[in-house]
């Protein structure tokens, strides 16, 4: 629910919840599995270009709670055949600022050693770069 006489006023008063689920799709623009495998082999190679490819997912879950224009990520998960991403944190809708933490992981088979985990932080102001990249495969 929101009320206001301007887009900023509406964003500032935003309250409620939002849930998005997806199955058998992809997030275009980056390949998490490829990036994690490269960092696992060569940890100091992280500065290269990783903004191409796509990250397929079996299940996508996004559950967000809004209070006074602040979005809190309650359950954000991307689960794919080779990689998994979890995300938590907050984002101010009216200020377009975000403060998110997550973990990207290579998934492992039952008899394999644990997969590679990469903790990450997304902080800043402006559009979240991947918000327009989620699509059905």
């Amino acid at each position: 629910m929101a009320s206001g006489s301007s887009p900023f006023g509406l964003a500032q008063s935003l309250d409620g919840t939002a849930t998005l689920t997806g199955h058998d799709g992809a997030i275009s623009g980056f390949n998490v599995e490829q990036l994690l495998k490269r960092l696992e082999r060569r940890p100091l190679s992280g500065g290269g270009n990783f903004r191409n490819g796509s990250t397929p997912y079996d299940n996508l879950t996004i559950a967000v709670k809004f209070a006074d224009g602040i979005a809190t990520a309650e359950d954000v998960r991307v689960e794919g055949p080779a990689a998994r991403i979890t995300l938590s944190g907050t984002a101010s809708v009216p200020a377009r600022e975000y403060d998110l933490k997550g973990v990207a992981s290579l998934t492992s088979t039952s008899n394999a050693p644990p997969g590679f985990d990469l903790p990450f932080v997304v902080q800043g102001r402006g559009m979240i770069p991947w918000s327009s990249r989620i699509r059905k495969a």
Side-chain angles (χ1 to χ4, degrees):
M1 180 168 197
S3 62
S5 59
S6 67
F8 182 79
L10 286 170
Q12 203 170 22
S13 67
L14 192 59
D15 288 312
T17 59
T19 304
L20 171 71
T21 57
H23 302 284
D24 303 321
I27 301 172
S28 65
F30 57 96
N31 183 319
V32 171
E33 177 189 9
Q34 187 178 62
L35 174 64
L36 291 175
K37 284 182 177 181
R38 184 178 70 192
L39 289 172
E40 184 179 37
R41 283 189 311 271
R42 298 179 54 210
L44 300 178
S45 69
N49 183 11
F50 62 90
R51 293 183 179 169
N52 55 33
S54 64
T55 300
Y57 61 81
D58 300 321
N59 295 298
L60 169 74
T61 303
I62 301 174
V64 179
K65 182 177 181 178
F66 295 91
D68 297 324
I70 304 296
T72 301
E74 303 225 310
D75 183 19
V76 178
R77 289 177 283 128
V78 179
E79 299 167 335
R84 176 179 48 246
I85 303 168
T86 58
L87 195 62
S88 63
T90 60
S92 170
V93 177
R96 295 184 182 174
E97 293 178 340
Y98 40 93
D99 184 10
L100 305 167
K101 295 177 183 171
V103 176
S105 306
L106 286 173
T107 56
S108 59
T109 59
S110 58
N111 293 333
F116 177 73
D117 291 341
L118 177 68
F120 64 92
V121 174
V122 180
Q123 292 179 319
R125 189 173 171 92
M127 263 311 264
I128 295 177
W130 63 83
S131 61
S132 65
R133 298 177 185 260
I134 300 172
R135 64 176 170 79
K136 179 81 172 159

